[in-house]
Amino acid sequence: MLRYLALILTIAGLAVALWLIGANGWAEVFRAVGVVGPGGLAALVAWQFLVFGLLGFCWWLVTPEVPPRAIASLVWARTVRDAASEVLPFSQVGGIVIGARAGVAAGGPPAPLYAGMIADQTTELAGQLLFTLFGVAVLLTRLEGHGAVLPPVLAGAAAMAGLMAAFAFAQQPMLRLAKALTGHVVPASLATFDAVRDRLVTVYRRRGRVVAAFLLHFIGWIGSGTAGWIALHAIGRPLPLIDVLTVEALIFALRTVAFMIPGGIGVQEAAYALLGPIFGLAAGPALALSIVKRARDVSFGIPVVVLWQLLEARALRRRGGAEAPPRAPI
């Protein structure tokens, strides 16, 4: 059922994106995209990998029983997570699950990795909420003549806050529910759920690491938003950094709220077309910015997903050809 829903949402989002581009002129939009060139795209991809490095470190901070040498594997798992979310027909939730699988496939202990993933997602949402509030605060100073934009933006920010609160406060009840449901089918899973729950308690007792992960995630969101500023310079339509960060903060929030739509397709394009003109960026170049960012996602996403699949296939062959394969160091 969810697969069909994702397909319907993808088709609807693609239709919205194509309509917006057509309404603002295909020639103008793709002329701006063409200005970027391979050099600009390479710079965007390189910047994104720097952000992945920071995000992998954040995951390690809240993952107990995993040594510092594991950071590289967690950076890889986080890269796989984002690549899958952008180029595969999955929602963001599907990307998170794939990222966790990539971490375990690298040899990581499952229970600590799953507990760390939950805590990492919590601190990431908290950092995003702070970034969203920054965007709303700046937007309120720029709304003269654009008052119609405020209701959807405030609704998105409120939904973002609600999502973060639900994720933060419902972790233990959701784990208990998952344990009850799965335990009837796979009794061996009970030990895993208990281990994840126990390690979550341990993680949240290490408050210094949790706070550090929250602050670094906030910096990570700023880094992700800065990619838009780099792209606009490549397009030849530069804007002040604070304006770009404001637009990106609000678009990230809307995409998070619309987490069931694969790649946020249609949502991202509509948000750029709506918010860009408030900050002096016409809808055409704003849509070009969206396309350039999607080109960046495809440029790193497809190779990463292909490599992940090759590693998964090799791991399956090893498990099938050996009775007790050694665990790779995480």
Side-chain angles (χ1 to χ4, degrees):
M1 180 64 182
L2 289 178
R3 182 182 302 175
Y4 293 117
L5 177 60
L7 178 61
I8 292 170
L9 292 174
T10 300
I11 294 173
L14 183 60
V16 169
L18 293 175
W19 177 81
L20 285 167
I21 295 171
N24 288 278
W26 291 90
E28 179 185 0
V29 171
F30 284 100
R31 188 182 305 115
V33 172
V35 171
V36 175
L41 192 58
L44 282 171
V45 171
W47 181 261
Q48 190 60 39
F49 277 111
L50 288 177
V51 174
F52 286 148
L54 177 61
L55 298 180
F57 180 74
C58 289
W59 190 352
W60 173 78
L61 276 176
V62 292
T63 304
E65 303 175 27
V66 175
R69 60 190 172 87
I71 294 175
S73 294
L74 294 179
V75 170
W76 163 248
R78 178 59 200 238
T79 304
V80 171
R81 166 186 158 178
D82 283 64
S85 295
E86 295 297 340
V87 302
L88 295 178
F90 301 140
S91 67
Q92 293 180 46
V93 176
I96 292 171
V97 172
I98 289 174
R101 179 181 174 89
V104 172
L113 274 176
Y114 295 150
M117 178 189 69
I118 294 170
D120 180 63
Q121 189 66 22
T122 303
T123 56
E124 183 175 0
L125 284 172
Q128 185 180 6
L129 179 59
L130 182 59
F131 192 42
T132 301
L133 293 176
F134 155 79
V136 172
V138 176
L139 179 67
L140 290 175
T141 68
R142 310 290 180 86
L143 277 180
E144 184 176 354
H146 298 277
V149 174
L150 187 59
V153 167
L154 291 181
M160 176 73 224
L163 184 65
M164 189 269 156
F167 194 88
F169 294 111
Q171 290 176 16
Q172 293 292 344
M174 289 303 293
L175 276 176
R176 286 194 293 270
L177 176 62
K179 174 182 174 181
L181 293 175
T182 310
H184 290 299
V185 182
V186 189
S189 68
L190 294 175
T192 301
F193 280 113
D194 287 338
V196 171
R197 182 195 59 201
D198 293 342
R199 281 165 173 80
L200 261 181
V201 172
T202 301
V203 167
Y204 288 131
R205 283 176 179 166
R206 304 164 75 179
R207 295 180 181 176
R209 285 186 167 233
V210 172
V211 171
F214 157 65
L215 294 175
L216 288 176
H217 268 303
F218 176 62
I219 294 172
W221 283 111
I222 293 174
S224 295
T226 302
W229 181 76
I230 296 172
L232 283 173
H233 272 272
I235 291 172
R237 299 293 185 96
L239 287 178
L241 180 59
I242 189 171
D243 290 352
V244 179
L245 290 178
T246 299
V247 173
E248 295 292 306
L250 299 173
I251 288 173
F252 289 150
L254 292 172
R255 281 197 54 167
T256 298
V257 172
F259 64 90
M260 284 301 297
I261 302 176
I265 190 165
V267 174
Q268 176 173 301
E269 285 71 23
Y272 272 119
L274 185 68
L275 293 169
I278 298 175
F279 296 90
L281 185 66
L287 289 167
L289 171 59
S290 180
I291 294 173
V292 168
K293 289 180 66 177
R294 291 201 182 279
R296 173 207 62 186
D297 295 339
V298 170
S299 296
F300 80 79
I302 290 180
V304 165
V305 168
V306 169
L307 179 57
W308 167 64
Q309 284 290 283
L310 291 174
L311 293 174
E312 285 272 321
R314 186 175 69 175
L316 285 173
R317 286 197 299 271
R318 285 180 174 177
R319 285 196 292 269
E323 292 184 2
R327 289 180 67 85
I330 183 170

